[in-house]
Amino acid sequence: MAIKTREEYLNSLKKLRPNIHKFGKLIEDATSDPATRRTVESHAKAFDASNDPQYALDFTCRSTFTGEKIHRWNSMMDDMEDVIANAKLKRWMYRFTGSCTGGLCVGWNAQNVMWNVTAMVDEECGTEYQGRLKKWILSAEQLGLVVAGALTDAKGDRSARPSQQENPDSCVHVKEVREDGIVVSGYKAMICGVAASNEIFILPGGGYKEEDKAYAVAFVVPRDIEGLTIVEARRPSDTRELEEGFDVPETGISQAFLFFEDCFVPNERVFLCQEAKYAGKVIEYFTANYRACIGACVAGQGDVMIGAAALMARTNGLAAATFANKMVDMAINNETTYGMGIGAMAMGRKGPGGMWVSDSLLAHANKVHVATLPYETKRLCQDIGGGMVETGCFPSSADFNDPDYGHLVQKAIKASPKFSAESRARAARLSEWLTLGAGVPGCMHGGGSPDGAKLVVRAATPVDEYVSYARKIAGITEEIPEPEKKK
Amino acid sequence: MAIKTREEYLNSLKKLRPNIHKFGKLIEDATSDPATRRTVESHAKAFDASNDPQYALDFTCRSTFTGEKIHRWNSMMDDMEDVIANAKLKRWMYRFTGSCTGGLCVGWNAQNVMWNVTAMVDEECGTEYQGRLKKWILSAEQLGLVVAGALTDAKGDRSARPSQQENPDSCVHVKEVREDGIVVSGYKAMICGVAASNEIFILPGGGYKEEDKAYAVAFVVPRDIEGLTIVEARRPSDTRELEEGFDVPETGISQAFLFFEDCFVPNERVFLCQEAKYAGKVIEYFTANYRACIGACVAGQGDVMIGAAALMARTNGLAAATFANKMVDMAINNETTYGMGIGAMAMGRKGPGGMWVSDSLLAHANKVHVATLPYETKRLCQDIGGGMVETGCFPSSADFNDPDYGHLVQKAIKASPKFSAESRARAARLSEWLTLGAGVPGCMHGGGSPDGAKLVVRAATPVDEYVSYARKIAGITEEIPEPEKKK
Amino acid sequence: MAIKTREEYLNSLKKLRPNIHKFGKLIEDATSDPATRRTVESHAKAFDASNDPQYALDFTCRSTFTGEKIHRWNSMMDDMEDVIANAKLKRWMYRFTGSCTGGLCVGWNAQNVMWNVTAMVDEECGTEYQGRLKKWILSAEQLGLVVAGALTDAKGDRSARPSQQENPDSCVHVKEVREDGIVVSGYKAMICGVAASNEIFILPGGGYKEEDKAYAVAFVVPRDIEGLTIVEARRPSDTRELEEGFDVPETGISQAFLFFEDCFVPNERVFLCQEAKYAGKVIEYFTANYRACIGACVAGQGDVMIGAAALMARTNGLAAATFANKMVDMAINNETTYGMGIGAMAMGRKGPGGMWVSDSLLAHANKVHVATLPYETKRLCQDIGGGMVETGCFPSSADFNDPDYGHLVQKAIKASPKFSAESRARAARLSEWLTLGAGVPGCMHGGGSPDGAKLVVRAATPVDEYVSYARKIAGITEEIPEPEKKK
Amino acid sequence: MAIKTREEYLNSLKKLRPNIHKFGKLIEDATSDPATRRTVESHAKAFDASNDPQYALDFTCRSTFTGEKIHRWNSMMDDMEDVIANAKLKRWMYRFTGSCTGGLCVGWNAQNVMWNVTAMVDEECGTEYQGRLKKWILSAEQLGLVVAGALTDAKGDRSARPSQQENPDSCVHVKEVREDGIVVSGYKAMICGVAASNEIFILPGGGYKEEDKAYAVAFVVPRDIEGLTIVEARRPSDTRELEEGFDVPETGISQAFLFFEDCFVPNERVFLCQEAKYAGKVIEYFTANYRACIGACVAGQGDVMIGAAALMARTNGLAAATFANKMVDMAINNETTYGMGIGAMAMGRKGPGGMWVSDSLLAHANKVHVATLPYETKRLCQDIGGGMVETGCFPSSADFNDPDYGHLVQKAIKASPKFSAESRARAARLSEWLTLGAGVPGCMHGGGSPDGAKLVVRAATPVDEYVSYARKIAGITEEIPEPEKKK
């Protein structure tokens, strides 16, 4: 099977019904509208890589089911190597685009998570979800689909459960079960890469109890399904994407809110429907791999920040080596989230359906670093780059090229006699974009908050086992238990 | 003397010749143009405070020269209390506006620094700069001027000195000395608050040797002086300031590049002219107070971040107290830069002209914290606020109010049943603006880089004195000197 | 009045009744016993400094009451400069001795705190404590006393109040009030500098309610009062103090447990007796100054660590300048706790009796740094020093001087051809002693835990005021209050 | 083959010639002398574990050569799982003993490293080292040897190379090559676990050039070989090991200096001899696995610190859960060094002899964390534990049990009504021992300094590759190379 190309990918998007909005306007063609074309371009680079011998090994693989060559982001992750390959692909994508390409990530993880979960549900409930899922995966493989994934519900009041919300649409839920499918409604928030995707994989937003069972639903829909309204979210400096000039790169990220209103999903695309007790399993398996791999994302962005900092140093007229200490600190941050994520994969195990599940404790401890270390890396990037980077503090591309006074701006920005003023300006804008502009990917809360990750670390740390080691070494003979909670 | 009001201030700006540009356009009226009116509004709040009994004690004082009541930002800082008052005013301004009001800060410090320096120069060189300066200060007091200050030159190649630059205009310099004044040319970069200022105080950008003496020049000019072209710098998300809606606050900061082309400055406004050896003194005195006080700036912004985080928690449906640990960490960061700056003031001394000079070691050590702790405070603000804050990830004001689908957006954003969706959206946009939007003030490199501050700390740390203490305690009797440098 | 000398000080200690124990033995003479002579030597250095023209300005001052020259540690702290002088003296003492000289610190603060508190109590309760206190202070000034101070009670069960403890002696308390004095019993724990002190100033260990009023007691006793048993605490590597050789310096610190059993204290030495509501004031005033000043202690130790690190670098054959970055980081840590403490003093105010009280918020925020930054400074000292420092990993002084194989040890330790093996060994032992040996002063919990300090920061941070600033900037018009606590 | 037992192990040590000294005395029997019996006890626990069904899977495995069951620490590490097993064993050992058991670690790594290196040397130089090595490994497996390993030379002047040292014995070297073996001399410093070992594996201390070829030597000797003098190093509080009572645990660590004076090593025990260019390979392979695994060491110690902190909280009368946030931070530190080390293993590859070599970049980045995070973990342990832990500030075991006043000490130490005073005292002593006592393992410099690790990170970070990514994203078309170094 031929590996889908950039052109085929772009054409597949052009065919979709326009249902994405931003700035109060409907986007007719996501591949060319300035608000979305950068994220499409970012995803298109993955198709380039799949078709480029230099990267094909990392971007393609053999289908578990058919043995045919497929895009890696449509593949099953049977073992540790497959999850490591997932991490590698993400690091590459950040290096190519500087930011997040969510359409290559969440759907991929979702199909693997649901493979494990449907194995359990089918076994215990007599359902036949896995068969449906396999059929869909086979088609996704063949079509080389880009599949966004959506977990985070709009949620409403944080102190109440889904079924207790004033507005039942605060979370996506099953409104009606028909013979041939289900009707769903509700809002998903902050979903990455939708504008660059062919389809959207919907998973539940949390673990649920029986009373919230309507919210325990997993399915996949075309991006342009009837009843789905998509509104793009803002990002820092996003209006620049509507401007001309060099103040923003040609790649980008997008995030959206999804509004489902009475959407019909046929049965062959439904993989969980009101089996409440498995929603928690979905989250557990999803976060384990996702939080293991997200370290590769921020590492890849960090690699680009090292490069951007070196560009600034050099276009300022200095050697990058002047800042070697700071670059080493940046590199250590990058390798920490990357390497610890790999560690989580290496300590993982096969899930009930045979797909690999990374170690939860290591993955969640890693998430805490993902939520903190990149802030240091960004600070160092700004530290090396200087005031032009820190707040993007220099005139716009329009001023740079102004016929009247542009020559003054250019002379003021010119630093190293070897490199052009524009190169310095572009390096500074890139650094700004990476550290406090539209390129910032949102990995602190993406895939769950650091506080949530710490709860998992807490639950997974066997304090009383550690107490027993300490007692033995200290020679304490009496038991020292935790006091009982006062009632 | 009546204290100048907001209206009088705005009128004084309106009278200025238009010479500010942004986005390739000339700004006709800085008080109403969307690109500059927010910084003007921010500065105007200082006039409100001066006229408000609740804040008048902090915003006004008696003139050292006339005993009349004046705006504090036009005053002389004779002793520690005066510099502490400077810090307090800055913290208030950040609390009122969320960002930097540079027109109230740099010129104020500059006039005090130059008072000390002109005392030395006049004494040693027989010049009469201080008399000129006093005359100007008296008029500034009386007119209640807002005076931006400019040190940072465009610099050109970082590895060469000003007189070695290909382009002599890389740094502002004296081009010609006439009987009645001087002609200056050159570029100053990243100057804060110019668009909200009546005048601009120019200081040299570094310590200079004799061959660079043309660059050792200090003077003050009206903002609209002939020959001066001003181009505003970008800031993150600055295009939002051109939009309607709630995606950006009504206050703001501005920073600009100044291009002097053969500007004539009359003698009564020139306070240093080619006395190269005093340029270093200007920098030394300037940075000591500036870096002591800047801790109050970031503390004030941090106060607003605590408030914004609490707003997010509550509009999310939670108690702010849930995040008390994180807010305490934020508060400690704020109090650290504030309190350590106060410590630098308390350990200061009177300079040669009688104006107070903060302790250099403590001030520069504080600058290192100013360059790092706010990054943690921002991270914590985003951590508490959630994904909507982290990258401003929710639809725009235009989408929020869209007649077709705005109701969906509003329902998705609504969280706490007690508070409106718009309040939550505004709280999130504020948090975004403070942490990675146009409100980020640029205090890492503003007033000099952290690496520069560390050089001062290094020079001020008496390693060999500390070695002698260590030797005595260790009972080491032989001398342990540093090895001689190899030639 | 002549300033007391080292010899007079030592003699004053020799006259005291032996009541100190360590390692199961009674210490006959604290000035010569190896377990206590180092802390006495450390304190004696203060008498040297008082009598040394180079330091006399910092170590002596004029009595507020008599105008006579006195040791500074017996003085009243009327204003900011006096508290800054307190901080300076502490930094000097650490530079001279490498560790804590508690007998010069806590009693000094106690007499000032009680001056403020007795002013309130006398005013409100009609007592005459301040007159008694003045009489005692006059005598202490004249005798040049070293006065340890004791707050921390043994406490017993942390989840119960003093009057609820199984053992009433868990905290020091008034057992009987007689006409001519009081009888006290109970235990104080971790009291610094007792073995080097002439007297001990006892303060309550916390704020108390009426039912705990017996614990609200302040008084001063001779160190050798009848009924008082003192047991010295261990410290890391303290047994080395009993050895010969260079494995431990000649200065040192001591900390002790005090056991009062039915001790009679005459009225003229009692300054608070069961006035429960003022115990909290004692703590408030005590901690404000103490936590402001303790930053100078750890700064002084940090200065010695910089010196010790430079000694290691040089005796290893390298330039100290090789590690300039790390030394700058160490210096910044030192100046932070020092400078922020000074900031707390500068923002202080006069207390009810006229003695200066540092700003509580800044002082407690500083305490958090005191509890963390020195750990980084120690780590850097070990980092520069190498493996010999990290765990003191090289043979003992006895092995170094062994007649059979000592020559081998010496050859192995010799590094730089310029400096002796013994100098390197002594530098390493000093570094070990400072970072994980008997010199570690215990400033994390000394004067209260960092968690306690954070509670004060939390209480002193006006979150709702900050919310109001944030609301105004964000343009939020509705009130956003904290949710009411559920009952 | 029967797995060697604790008793057999102890007997094997008793048979060795006494050649270890400490405190100026010869140690007759390392298994019973108080200066060394604790490290022997620590190592003996590994034999217990090998013979305990609960741990046998982790402590034993099948010999690669014979298929027989052997102690894992004598095994070949053919693949990733084997190196992970190495890490696991180390974490267990720290949990069992609280500190380092170097005799189970360095020799094990050394035999694997030399397997890879001898494959290269034999291939390229026609030597037959691997055959000799295999013979020795087979015998070590069979005898269940504990084998210390020694890399770090005494070094002498850090600014000179081995062959330039005044004293040629500053580093271990070949003095003479005879037909049947070699004669070696020189000093190795800070070698862990020697007193508990049967044999010592000597590796070169660095990468060498041809002129230093005498220093490129690898061999293994019995611990009691003729001509070898061993002097134990001090550690913090090590004298307590000579005392009675509970002030120090029954397990422990030891480190020693080795003095080789004309020792003859027969050819069958020599695995590298003057092949200078391979010394660097030894270091490269050694550090890769060692620094990957050392994260497990500090993680294991951190586990015990969590346990010790919980013991303190509970014996203080509080719930450990009160400090959950801090324990989570401790756990994250532990899992970071552990997990990132595992990541380094997972990204490793087979070396030239087929033994697994962890990824160098990740391993060295991890070493930087190993040199920093445990300091935070220790600080948190002291923070939770309180002042008794911070400096071990309470009376000694001898005072606790003193017939006269011991009852007072016990009453003062008693806190929770549920647990004995002695349990609290033991928990505090354990915490002290772990954080600033004899249990501190020395992992900052052990296995190489953090600065050395950073050099590897620097070398392994492809800055120019990252520059190319940044350039493409920024749209910079000209090349931006590093400036050429000035000559």
Side-chain angles (χ1 to χ4, degrees), chain B residues 101-353:
Chain B
T101 48
L104 302 171
C105 160
V106 192
W108 181 10
N109 197 14
Q111 75 181 38
N112 279 276
V113 165
M114 288 312 297
W115 190 267
N116 274 334
V117 173
T118 54
M120 291 175 70
V121 185
D122 289 355
E123 162 93 18
E124 296 174 21
C125 308
T127 47
E128 295 185 344
Y129 291 132
Q130 203 181 59
R132 298 175 182 179
L133 179 61
K134 184 174 174 183
K135 216 178 281 177
W136 178 80
I137 293 173
L138 281 169
S139 119
E141 276 181 13
Q142 196 172 5
L143 296 170
L145 295 183
V146 170
V147 184
L151 288 84
T152 309
D153 290 293
K155 283 187 194 154
D157 186 359
R158 267 63 180 162
S159 62
R161 307 172 44 75
S163 59
Q164 297 169 334
Q165 296 294 329
E166 277 185 28
N167 180 355
D169 287 338
S170 291
C171 303
V172 168
H173 58 287
V174 182
K175 220 167 148 183
E176 188 189 342
V177 180
R178 299 188 191 158
E179 200 161 328
D180 54 346
I182 59 176
V183 177
V184 297
S185 276
Y187 320 142
K188 290 278 184 188
M190 308 181 197
I191 308 307
C192 193
V194 170
S197 297
N198 303 99
E199 304 209 353
I200 308 172
F201 208 128
I202 303 293
L203 296 181
Y208 294 128
K209 296 200 181 149
E210 198 56 25
E211 57 264 40
D212 294 316
K213 73 175 180 181
Y215 298 85
V217 60
F219 57 90
V220 67
V221 293
R223 195 214 75 193
D224 60 352
I225 188 175
E226 283 303 320
L228 172 60
T229 301
I230 299 171
V231 183
E232 287 288 310
R234 301 210 75 156
R235 277 159 298 109
S237 297
D238 57 351
T239 335
R240 289 192 197 172
E241 297 177 346
L242 313 184
E243 301 174 9
E244 300 294 310
F246 59 65
D247 285 335
V248 69
E250 289 302 305
T251 49
I253 173 180
S254 75
Q255 290 184 295
F257 277 46
L258 310 181
F259 301 94
F260 289 94
E261 292 176 287
D262 295 331
C263 289
F264 175 74
V265 185
N267 280 335
E268 65 265 27
R269 286 174 163 270
V270 176
F271 313 126
L272 190 74
C273 181
Q274 310 196 61
E275 292 85 0
K277 65 183 261 206
Y278 300 99
K281 272 290 159 197
V282 174
I283 300 300
E284 179 189 330
Y285 293 157
F286 187 89
T287 55
N289 277 358
Y290 189 84
R291 293 180 184 179
C293 291
I294 198 172
C297 301
V298 296
Q301 220 218 10
D303 296 338
V304 180
M305 283 194 251
I306 292 175
L311 281 177
M312 281 307 296
R314 292 173 185 175
T315 56
N316 282 343
L318 301 170
T322 314
F323 303 100
N325 278 348
K326 291 175 186 173
M327 291 197 195
V328 165
D329 287 347
M330 296 168 86
I332 290 172
N333 287 344
N334 297 342
E335 301 308 331
T336 298
T337 58
Y338 184 68
M340 197 170 163
I342 302 288
M345 297 166 207
M347 299 302 278
R349 64 188 196 289
K350 274 180 178 292

Side-chain angles (χ1 to χ4, degrees), chain D residues 220-378:
Chain D
V220 67
V221 292
R223 193 214 76 195
D224 61 350
I225 187 176
E226 282 304 318
L228 171 61
T229 302
I230 300 170
V231 183
E232 288 288 310
R234 300 210 75 156
R235 276 158 297 111
S237 298
D238 58 348
T239 335
R240 288 192 198 172
E241 297 178 345
L242 313 184
E243 301 173 11
E244 299 293 312
F246 59 64
D247 285 335
V248 68
E250 289 301 306
T251 48
I253 173 181
S254 75
Q255 290 185 295
F257 277 46
L258 310 182
F259 301 95
F260 289 94
E261 294 176 286
D262 295 328
C263 289
F264 175 75
V265 185
N267 280 335
E268 66 263 28
R269 285 175 163 266
V270 176
F271 314 126
L272 190 75
C273 181
Q274 310 196 62
E275 292 85 1
K277 66 182 258 208
Y278 301 98
K281 274 289 160 197
V282 174
I283 300 300
E284 179 189 330
Y285 293 157
F286 188 89
T287 56
N289 278 358
Y290 190 83
R291 292 177 185 180
C293 291
I294 197 172
C297 300
V298 297
Q301 222 219 9
D303 295 339
V304 180
M305 283 194 251
I306 292 174
L311 281 177
M312 282 307 296
R314 292 172 184 175
T315 56
N316 283 343
L318 301 170
T322 315
F323 303 100
N325 278 350
K326 292 176 185 171
M327 290 196 199
V328 165
D329 287 347
M330 296 168 84
I332 290 172
N333 287 344
N334 297 342
E335 300 308 331
T336 299
T337 57
Y338 184 67
M340 195 169 165
I342 302 288
M345 297 165 207
M347 299 302 278
R349 65 187 197 289
K350 273 183 177 291
M355 296 305 122
W356 197 257
V357 181
S358 298
D359 180 73
S360 186
L361 171 56
L362 289 177
H364 284 83
N366 194 34
K367 184 69 209 303
V368 177
H369 292 310
V370 166
T372 48
L373 298 183
Y375 286 79
E376 289 181 26
T377 307
K378 287 172 189 167

Side-chain angles (χ1 to χ4, degrees), chain C residues 1-6 43-61 69-74 89 92-93 96 104 144:
Chain C
M1 183 172 64
I3 282 291
K4 193 175 184 175
T5 64
R6 159 191 285 267
H43 287 73
K45 287 194 188 308
F47 290 88
D48 294 342
S50 283
N51 287 285
D52 180 338
Q54 188 180 351
Y55 300 110
L57 265 179
D58 285 329
F59 278 77
T60 61
C61 62
K69 193 174 167 190
I70 58 173
H71 290 296
R72 194 174 274 281
W73 60 84
N74 297 124
L89 187 143
W92 280 126
M93 287 310 298
F96 295 159
L104 302 170

Side-chain angles (χ1 to χ4, degrees), chain C residues 7-286:
Chain C
E7 288 70 31
E8 290 164 347
Y9 162 63
L10 295 179
N11 282 332
S12 71
L13 292 185
K14 278 179 196 292
K15 285 179 197 151
L16 296 174
R17 176 179 77 91
N19 63 337
I20 306 176
H21 307 74
K22 189 169 186 182
F23 299 129
K25 288 181 202 147
L26 179 66
I27 290 171
E28 291 294 336
D29 175 7
T31 70
S32 61
D33 191 286
T36 50
R37 70 177 169 80
R38 283 176 179 79
T39 188
V40 172
E41 171 59 25
S42 281
H43 287 73
K45 287 194 188 308
F47 290 88
D48 294 342
S50 283
N51 287 285
D52 180 338
Q54 188 180 351
Y55 300 110
L57 265 179
D58 285 329
F59 278 77
T60 61
C61 62
R62 294 284 158 188
S63 164
T64 295
F65 301 120
T66 67
E68 288 204 68
K69 193 174 167 190
I70 58 173
H71 290 296
R72 194 174 274 281
W73 60 84
N74 297 124
S75 70
M76 303 311 294
M77 296 185 284
D78 301 71
D79 54 28
M80 180 189 83
E81 282 74 18
D82 293 332
V83 185
I84 292 180
N86 179 316
K88 281 187 183 167
L89 187 143
K90 287 179 173 178
R91 192 162 182 173
W92 280 126
M93 287 310 298
Y94 268 82
R95 288 168 167 183
F96 295 159
T97 73
S99 191
C100 173
T101 48
L104 302 170
C105 160
V106 192
W108 182 10
N109 198 14
Q111 77 181 37
N112 279 275
V113 165
M114 289 312 298
W115 189 266
N116 274 336
V117 173
T118 54
M120 293 176 71
V121 185
D122 287 356
E123 163 93 18
E124 297 175 21
C125 308
T127 47
E128 296 185 340
Y129 290 133
Q130 204 181 58
R132 296 176 183 178
L133 179 62
K134 182 173 175 184
K135 215 178 279 178
W136 178 79
I137 293 173
L138 282 169
S139 121
E141 278 183 11
Q142 195 171 5
L143 295 170
L145 295 183
V146 170
V147 184
L151 288 86
T152 309
D153 290 292
K155 284 186 193 156
D157 186 1
R158 266 63 180 164
S159 61
R161 308 173 44 75
S163 59
Q164 297 168 333
Q165 296 293 329
E166 275 185 29
N167 180 356
D169 286 339
S170 291
C171 303
V172 168
H173 59 286
V174 182
K175 220 167 149 183
E176 187 189 341
V177 180
R178 297 187 191 160
E179 199 161 328
D180 56 343
I182 60 175
V183 177
V184 298
S185 276
Y187 321 142
K188 290 278 185 188
M190 308 181 197
I191 308 308
C192 192
V194 170
S197 297
N198 303 101
E199 304 207 353
I200 309 172
F201 209 127
I202 303 294
L203 295 181
Y208 294 128
K209 296 197 182 152
E210 197 58 24
E211 58 263 41
D212 294 315
K213 73 175 180 181
Y215 297 85
V217 61
F219 58 88
V220 66
V221 293
R223 194 215 74 195
D224 62 349
I225 188 175
E226 283 304 318
L228 171 60
T229 301
I230 299 170
V231 183
E232 287 289 310
R234 301 210 76 155
R235 276 158 299 109
S237 298
D238 57 349
T239 335
R240 288 192 198 171
E241 297 178 346
L242 313 185
E243 300 173 10
E244 300 294 310
F246 58 64
D247 285 335
V248 69
E250 288 303 305
T251 48
I253 173 181
S254 75
Q255 290 185 296
F257 277 45
L258 311 181
F259 301 94
F260 289 95
E261 294 176 287
D262 295 329
C263 288
F264 176 75
V265 184
N267 279 335
E268 66 264 25
R269 285 175 164 268
V270 176
F271 313 126
L272 190 76
C273 180
Q274 310 196 58
E275 291 84 3
K277 65 183 260 204
Y278 299 98
K281 274 290 159 196
V282 174
I283 301 300
E284 179 189 329
Y285 292 157
F286 188 89

